[in-house]
Amino acid sequence: MVEQHSSADLDAVFKALADPTRRDMLRRLAGEALSVSELAAPLDMSLAAASKHIQVLERAGLVRRTVQGRTHTCRLEAGPLHAGMEWLRHYERFWTERLDTLERLVRAAPSSPQRRKP
């Protein structure tokens, strides 16, 4: 059974994951906490644009930002990813059933005739 999560929460998670820049940020944050400047450094965009991506991740609950002086540090908050995985897992049985059916059909199909040599 799918746990009931707010539709808005799931929408925010999937919206955040829909962008490759934000997925890259999450991947890098999985290794360690990084400042906004460190997150933005390898990207071909302004610090302001990178900050907007981080705000999307924050609204989804995937990133927590702390401020110490002028340094904004971001940390991964993986909890909301669990809600997305649970939602997807509910539909996994449909994929599995279709793949099982395809496997049965392939196994039941007669072998293709061997080509004759000219």
Side-chain angles (χ1 to χ4, degrees):
M1 182 74 176
V2 174
E3 286 183 41
Q4 295 303 315
H5 297 283
S6 159
S7 180
D9 292 344
L10 282 175
D11 290 351
V13 168
F14 286 122
K15 175 184 177 183
L17 295 175
D19 185 273
T21 298
R22 292 190 288 268
R23 289 192 306 270
D24 178 65
M25 288 178 165
L26 290 175
R27 181 188 57 76
R28 290 188 291 129
L29 288 172
E32 63 183 320
L34 297 169
S35 70
V36 170
S37 297
E38 291 170 325
L39 273 174
L43 305 173
D44 187 24
M45 64 180 63
S46 68
L47 190 58
S51 187
K52 288 183 180 184
H53 282 289
I54 294 167
Q55 289 170 4
V56 172
L57 294 169
E58 286 178 301
R59 282 192 295 273
L62 295 168
V63 167
R64 178 170 299 173
R65 186 190 313 218
T66 56
V67 181
Q68 187 170 11
R70 298 181 78 181
T71 304
H72 292 231
T73 302
C74 298
R75 288 180 172 68
L76 175 66
E77 294 289 330
L81 290 173
H82 179 72
M85 286 300 301
E86 286 299 312
W87 187 88
L88 289 170
R89 195 169 288 124
H90 175 73
Y91 296 96
E92 183 178 22
R93 70 182 171 116
F94 298 105
W95 307 328
T96 303
E97 288 172 4
R98 288 198 170 118
L99 288 173
D100 289 346
T101 300
L102 177 61
E103 181 181 20
R104 282 192 300 276
L105 291 170
V106 168
R107 289 182 187 270
S111 298
S112 60
Q114 290 183 348
R115 291 186 166 187
R116 292 186 206 166
K117 292 184 179 180

